Amino acid sequence: GAVVSQHPSRVICKSGTSVKIECRSLDFQATTMFWYRQFPKKSLMLMATSNEGSKATYEQGVEKDKFLINHASLTLSTLTVTSAHPEDSSFYICSAISTSGGDYNEQFFGPGTRLTVL
Amino acid sequence: GQNIDQPTEMTATEGAIVQINCTYQTSGFNGLFWYQQHAGEAPTFLSYNVLDGLEEKGRFSSFLSRSKGYSYLLLKELQMKDSASYLCAAMDSNYQLIWGAGTKLIIKP
């Protein structure tokens, strides 16, 4: 199956700093990548949809200037959490859809990044 | 609005069978997914249903009734490693996944 990687897997940072999370599709090209956030014992919350070469589409309530998304190529999308605060601590997961499509646009998930803001 | 409902937690015994139910309401429908998620890990794909009926895949089966907005995941011959959260997700008309909160399945020896 298709493989999606995320880096870093775990990051601890001080309040006020910025953190960049990378999401890569390793063996396929992804026209669309999604960024999710997950709080403990909660469902995945879609933050934004990232399309290669265009601006990301953010879900209602997600601050565009705080969560910067760049989808510069068909294999890489980045999420930058700017001026991080403790409430930004969460599990961030990306997923990607292959350009080859398929019957149902299956999303392939990265392993997730655990962000802890002190 | 769009909504997915599934039980918060279930407990079952090793070797037994368990059924996890999911009801959904979405704007349009392009299929129902089940994912397994172990603590601290990303979800992994289990099944996809878009037509009514039962899809069997080894110890796991998934059922869909579009008219009722209902699906279930059936796990047979439960193993301790099946202890995880099981997420139900429906794909809407925009091909976006609407996620349930997940059902935490606890397997006891």
Side-chain angles (χ1 to χ4, degrees):
Chain A
V3 178
V4 175
S5 71
Q6 270 183 252
H7 178 80
S9 59
R10 187 181 295 267
V11 57
I12 300 173
C13 68
K14 292 183 179 180
S15 185
T17 60
S18 294
V19 175
K20 179 186 283 188
I21 303 170
E22 292 186 349
C23 176
R24 293 180 184 273
S25 55
L26 297 185
D27 51 0
F28 68 100
Q29 293 186 324
T31 51
T32 303
M33 290 184 170
F34 300 91
W35 285 96
Y36 291 91
R37 182 174 180 178
Q38 188 175 34
F39 295 99
K41 300 183 181 180
K42 298 286 186 182
S43 182
L44 295 171
M45 182 192 79
L46 179 65
M47 297 175 66
T49 302
S50 171
N51 293 299
E52 186 266 339
S54 63
K55 291 184 179 180
T57 303
Y58 289 81
E59 295 300 300
Q60 192 173 9
V62 178
E63 298 176 59
K64 301 178 184 180
D65 295 332
K66 180 164 185 64
F67 299 99
L68 301 178
I69 292 173
N70 186 313
H71 193 155
S73 75
L74 284 172
T75 59
L76 173 65
S77 176
T78 60
L79 168 67
T80 301
V81 183
T82 62
S83 187
H85 289 282
E87 56 263 33
D88 298 326
S89 298
S90 192
F91 191 48
Y92 292 87
I93 305 173
C94 74
S95 68
I97 295 177
S98 170
T99 53
S100 62
D103 292 335
Y104 49 80
N105 292 339
E106 181 183 350
Q107 293 186 28
F108 302 97
F109 286 89
T113 297
R114 173 73 60 190
L115 171 63
T116 303
V117 184
L118 302 177
Chain B
Q2 307 200 98
N3 190 53
I4 306 287
D5 283 319
Q6 55 181 128
T8 305
E9 186 174 297
M10 298 182 72
T11 302
T13 305
E14 190 177 15
I17 299 173
V18 70
Q19 177 175 312
I20 303 174
N21 296 323
C22 169
T23 58
Y24 64 90
Q25 289 178 307
T26 55
S27 301
F29 180 74
N30 280 301
L32 193 291
F33 294 79
W34 283 96
Y35 287 86
Q36 180 190 61
Q37 187 178 26
H38 286 99
E41 299 180 10
T44 55
F45 172 80
L46 289 179
S47 68
Y48 169 76
N49 294 68
V50 68
L51 300 176
D52 286 353
L54 185 69
E55 295 275 347
E56 296 185 72
K57 191 184 294 185
R59 294 189 299 116
F60 292 5
S61 302
S62 57
F63 171 84
L64 176 69
S65 169
R66 294 179 64 143
S67 62
K68 295 181 180 179
Y70 166 71
S71 174
Y72 67 72
L73 179 69
L74 190 72
L75 294 79
K76 302 176 184 176
E77 301 169 18
L78 287 169
Q79 302 174 9
M80 297 304 293
K81 67 178 182 179
D82 297 330
S83 292
S85 285
Y86 291 85
L87 302 170
C88 172
M91 185 170 277
D92 69 10
S93 57
N94 294 318
Y95 294 96
Q96 284 203 341
L97 287 176
I98 311 302
W99 294 88
T103 299
K104 182 179 180 181
L105 178 62
I106 300 169
I107 310 294
K108 295 185 175 180

